[in-house]
Each structure stands twice: as C-alpha cells, then as structure tokens.
Amino acid sequence: MSTGDTAERSLAHWSEAGRTGMEAFYALAAEDYRQLALAADWAAVLGDRAHEGWSLLDVACGSGKFPAALLRHAGLDGLPDVAYDLLDPSAFSVAEARGVLAPPFVARHDLVTTLQDLPADRADYDVVWATHALYAVPPAELDAAAARFVAALAPGGLGLVAQATSTSHYLVFYDAFRAGVRDATPYTTAEQVRDALVRAGAEVREQRVTYQTGTADRAVVEGFLQRCAFDDSVSLDAMEAAPVLGDYLASCRDASGSYTFSHEAALLWL
Ligand SMILES: C[S@@+](CC[C@H](N)C(=O)[O-])C[C@H]1O[C@@H](n2cnc3c(N)ncnc32)[C@H](O)[C@@H]1O
C-alpha cells in the first residue's frame, strides 16, 4: 500500500488490493448510509424531480453504499428509471458501484475523474449527490470541486452533500491520528464543504443527524480504524498506545473494552 499523503492513500485503498479493508470498514460504516436513507422521505424527494429521461450524478460513488441503502430502505419502486452517472477517480469504485445499481437506478456513464477535474460539459443533471465522499479532496482544491458540483446541476435540480462534521468520529479520529501517528493533509469537514458550496453560489439548507456505531470485537475495530486512516500498517494496540490518538480512543472505550464511535453528519441540501 502507498505511504503517500491523504488523497494518494485514499486512491491506493479504493482498489482491488484494498477490498478486504473496505469490507472491514463497512462492518461498522454501513450504518452511515442507513442513517442517510432514513433521514429524508426519498420517494417524495426524488419523486418531485422525476420525469421521463431524468439524470443523476453520483459524485465519489465509492462502492455504491448509498444507492444500495436507498434501494433497501427508501421504497423507490414507483419512480421512473433515472440515467445514473458514476464519478470517481478510482475505476475500481466505479465498477463496484455499477454492480449494486438496480431500477430505478440505471447505470449510464462511467466518469473516472476527480470532482475538481469534471469537464464543464457534464451539466444539467436533475440530481447530483456526494455522500460521505469528499473527505480526501485536498483543501486547496475544495473551491474548484464545489464549483464543479454546483455547475453540474440543472436549474432547479436537487443537490445533496452528506458529510461528517468537524466534531464527528471520522474528523476527530484523523486529526488525532495525524497528531499522534503520522502527519498528513487533514480531511475536509462538512463545514468546509458547506462554505465552499456557498462561495460557489449555492443556496444551502443544512440538516444534521447524529448516531453511534460500535462493537466489542477488536478485529472489527482495528479494520474499521485502519480504513478511517487509509493506513493498514498501524495495529489497534499501536493506535491505543500512541500519543493523542490513544487518548481519543480511550474516550471511545468503556470499562469492558467495547468501542462506541459518535457520529454527526450534515446533509447539505442545494
Ligand atoms: C467513502 S467513498 C464514498 C462512498 C459512496 N458515496 C457510497 O455511496 O458508497 C469515497 C470515494 O471518494 C473517492 N474520491 C476521493 N477523492 C475524490 C475526489 N477528489 N473527487 C471525487 N471522488 C473522490 C474515492 O476514490 C472513494 O471511492
């Protein structure tokens, strides 16, 4: 695995070689997408935009956990098919997400690119979403990425960015990892994404959801945390012994050794 900076390590892990780590991560992180699927009346929200020939752009599609959660929890049966374009710099992710789509989501274009490099002629989407997707966008490129997100929406279209806030596990953990184990470019927070979207001219309505995930299984915790840092080389024992990170992990652990992680996700509706 690469030992490079955040964006480079993200890309290296979203690969066939990273599949085991990805599956370990989703033992806990599947809950992130169930929470998003339950946070809105998706049949109504999408039904308002639905029409013959409508289109959707999934930004940073990853392995398709969000559309999979919608298909499982949101009751989308009555919607007309939507042409579903998959954007991700990882061809592995695009192929994984394509594999989970089912009606009304009908895969159309594979866009193997970062959001900030999305060509300007990719526009007029009725729906554009990015769910737990923009953490590894380098801070210096966030304004460009937000501008491309906003420009991809058709007039009156629906945009959604769902991202953890600065007080949520993913952000607090990675800051502690950077301080105690290895410095790197920080993850982008929901607050930074919101501000960048506003600078790009979007009107943003914010909704927040809070929830917890956890387990007493140390192997599951180790796999989850290694993926949170895109670093498989640091064991759970080493993380617990590290300065700063050890203190944060102790605050997530009870007397029996069981872990609970606290999450807050912002849903940024455009
Ligand atoms: C946690 S996954 C997203 C999960 C996904 N939304 C889902 O429903 O499963 C993060 C994805 O962001 C992608 N990514 C990283 N940097 C990116 C960038 N600058 N632009 C677009 N995608 C990016 C990664 O390759 C990875 O596939």
Side-chain angles (χ1 to χ4, degrees):
M1 282 292 168
S2 162
T3 55
D5 199 10
T6 303
E8 190 188 334
R9 283 187 292 111
S10 164
L11 192 55
H13 280 75
W14 285 100
S15 64
E16 193 55 52
R19 181 183 290 282
T20 306
M22 177 182 82
E23 285 165 1
F25 177 70
Y26 282 120
L28 293 183
E31 179 64 11
D32 296 331
Y33 300 95
R34 195 183 73 90
Q35 289 287 336
L36 295 181
L38 299 178
D41 180 349
W42 283 102
V45 168
L46 292 176
D48 280 351
R49 266 81 192 179
H51 56 86
E52 205 53 43
W54 64 316
S55 61
L56 184 159
L57 177 63
D58 186 347
V59 171
C61 61
S63 51
K65 293 293 182 289
F66 181 55
L70 289 180
L71 289 167
R72 187 168 313 127
H73 300 290
L76 303 181
D77 289 351
L79 292 179
D81 287 354
V82 58
Y84 197 113
D85 287 359
L86 297 150
L87 181 158
D88 202 290
S90 157
F92 168 84
S93 290
V94 167
E96 286 291 301
R98 183 173 265 269
V100 310
L101 295 184
F105 303 134
V106 178
R108 189 176 62 176
H109 301 305
D110 293 348
L111 306 172
V112 180
T113 174
T114 63
L115 173 58
Q116 54 274 38
D117 289 334
L118 179 67
D121 62 356
R122 295 290 174 188
D124 280 329
Y125 287 96
D126 297 291
V127 181
V128 180
W129 61 44
T131 56
H132 291 293
L134 304 179
Y135 302 108
V137 176
E141 296 172 34
L142 187 56
D143 277 342
R148 290 306 309 126
F149 188 97
V150 172
L153 265 179
L158 172 75
L160 172 70
V161 177
Q163 179 110 348
T165 65
S166 57
T167 60
S168 193
H169 165 74
Y170 295 120
L171 282 303
V172 178
F173 167 81
Y174 199 50
D175 281 349
F177 186 91
R178 291 168 48 244
V181 178
R182 181 151 61 97
D183 199 14
T185 301
Y187 285 154
T188 294
T189 67
E191 293 88 337
Q192 290 170 317
V193 175
R194 179 198 57 212
D195 293 349
L197 289 168
V198 169
R199 281 194 295 275
E203 245 178 59
V204 179
R205 180 176 69 81
E206 189 168 336
Q207 174 188 358
R208 292 198 177 192
V209 293
T210 56
Y211 54 98
Q212 296 185 321
T213 58
T215 178
D217 185 329
R218 288 182 64 79
V220 172
V221 172
E222 181 172 79
F224 173 68
L225 293 177
Q226 287 179 337
R227 185 73 175 196
C228 289
F230 293 120
D231 190 333
D232 320 321
S233 69
V234 188
S235 67
L236 179 56
D237 287 342
M239 288 191 247
E240 289 173 343
V244 187
L245 181 58
D247 292 339
Y248 169 65
L249 292 178
S251 77
C252 302
R253 213 164 49 236
D254 69 14
S256 73
S258 184
Y259 271 93
T260 301
F261 303 108
S262 296
H263 303 272
E264 180 180 59
L267 284 77
L268 306 173
W269 297 96
L270 278 67

